[in-house]
Amino acid sequence: MRFLKKGDAVGLISCSDGWNSSDKPSLDYIVRVLSSLGLNVRIAETIFQLKNTPFSGSPIQRATELMKLFRDPEIRMIFDVSGGDSANQILPYLDYAAIQQSQAVFCGISDLTVVTNSLYSQCGHRSIHYRIKNLTGDCAAEQLNWFKAAFMKDGSIPAIDYHWLRGSQMSGVLIGGNLRCALKLAATRYFPDPTDKIILLESLGGGAARTATLLAQLDQADVFSKCSGILLGTFTTMEQSGAQPSVRKQILGITAPYQLPVAETSQIGHGEDAYGIEIGAMLHFSASANLQ
């Protein structure tokens, strides 16, 4: 499958907290990079923070701008540049029936985990756990090569490297993403059914105690007792600080009663070298080969 080809249109939007006006050079750079690939870039009206607010628009305004992109028949991918706290405000205002019919693929990480998982739970629409801003970081050249290989060539998104912490194989539709943000959907209609799913977990901030309490919430919500396995991405702050107990120890401990397969990858998360992975896709992981 090829997501993009020259001449296709892509959209940029902020569904979570808006960008500060000082971030405009980063936006301009992303536009230049995408344009250099022969893509037509369309920028939503909800990108930058409105005066005296952290938001790029009201929840309805942000949802309306997102739906404009989904309804545009020329747009093939939608890249959300934002992050923060407020993306779940838009969920009640999205037209999931229209999204189900759209060819556009939504991409975002961090707080956009609430959007990617809601698109899957409400209408089975696949998304990409991917951060377009990585095209502007220290690993920009490598990221551009990955972008072209993943989105502009025939085939599938390149397989990630991983190793096993427990078990040797697992299969299932991938859900989850950022640990803290995924749990915003708990006890709502937007939380995907975890039964027989692979749960992706990664995080930017938070120490050992915060991670422990969030994992406990997942366990108490019967996620670990129902899912088919865990894909553990990077936990940036914990890994940089050497916080103990490590997320690996915590995951293995809390899932021990279920003997869940647990695979770990350094290629999914908040790092500027991180790649993307498809939410809502059936994936297969095995010890014999790093195949999705």
Side-chain angles (χ1 to χ4, degrees), residues 7-264:
D8 284 341
V10 298
L12 300 178
I13 193 170
S14 294
C15 291
S16 186
D17 302 357
W19 273 18
N20 191 285
S21 58
S22 64
D23 292 320
K24 189 175 185 303
S26 291
L27 183 70
D28 292 341
Y29 185 81
I30 292 171
V31 171
R32 288 198 300 273
V33 171
L34 296 177
S35 298
S36 74
L37 298 175
L39 303 173
N40 299 316
V41 183
R42 299 180 184 173
I43 302 175
E45 294 182 9
T46 51
I47 291 284
F48 296 103
Q49 294 174 2
L50 302 178
K51 187 176 181 180
N52 299 320
T53 171
F55 313 119
S56 62
S58 69
I60 292 178
Q61 288 172 328
R62 282 176 275 150
T64 298
E65 286 296 297
L66 181 57
M67 289 310 307
K68 286 180 182 178
L69 298 176
F70 271 120
R71 289 191 171 105
D72 188 329
E74 296 182 355
I75 289 182
R76 297 299 301 269
M77 300 191 79
I78 301 167
F79 298 102
D80 196 305
V81 300
S82 65
D85 296 294
S86 58
N88 63 344
Q89 289 183 309
I90 75 169
L91 300 181
Y93 306 108
L94 298 180
D95 184 341
Y96 295 99
I99 292 171
Q100 187 177 36
Q101 300 301 316
S102 175
Q103 67 175 351
V105 176
F106 182 87
C107 302
I109 71 165
S110 197
D111 196 37
L112 286 313
T113 294
V114 301
V115 177
T116 57
N117 283 265
S118 294
L119 296 183
Y120 172 72
S121 69
Q122 297 305 293
C123 61
H125 202 74
R126 295 183 181 183
S127 304
I128 311 293
H129 186 84
Y130 170 70
R131 182 177 183 256
I132 190 68
K133 197 176 180 182
N134 282 1
L135 292 176
T136 71
D138 292 339
C139 303
E142 176 189 353
Q143 287 291 312
L144 181 58
N145 287 336
W146 183 88
F147 184 100
K148 290 187 288 187
F151 300 141
M152 302 193 74
K153 292 183 179 180
D154 290 329
S156 59
I157 293 177
I160 57 171
D161 294 328
Y162 57 89
H163 65 274
W164 291 97
L165 300 181
R166 180 194 294 126
S168 59
Q169 62 181 355
M170 60 185 177
S171 298
V173 170
L174 186 75
I175 62 173
N178 180 268
L179 172 58
R180 176 183 68 88
C181 298
L183 277 166
K184 295 182 186 183
L185 301 180
T188 75
R189 65 188 178 97
Y190 305 107
F191 195 80
D193 180 358
T195 303
D196 298 327
K197 306 294 193 304
I198 296 173
I199 313 298
L200 169 64
L201 298 175
E202 56 88 11
S203 179
L204 173 61
R210 179 187 293 180
T211 298
T213 193
L214 295 178
L215 293 177
Q217 186 180 356
L218 279 179
D219 191 29
Q220 292 160 18
D222 292 327
V223 171
F224 295 140
S225 65
K226 295 179 178 178
C227 71
S228 63
I230 304 292
L231 177 61
L232 191 64
T234 59
F235 279 63
T236 307
T237 297
M238 283 192 69
E239 291 165 9
Q240 290 177 347
S241 66
Q244 293 296 328
S246 69
V247 66
R248 298 170 190 83
K249 291 179 180 178
Q250 292 194 38
I251 282 285
L252 290 174
I254 202 166
T255 62
Y258 319 110
Q259 285 300 291
L260 278 177
V262 180
E264 182 180 42

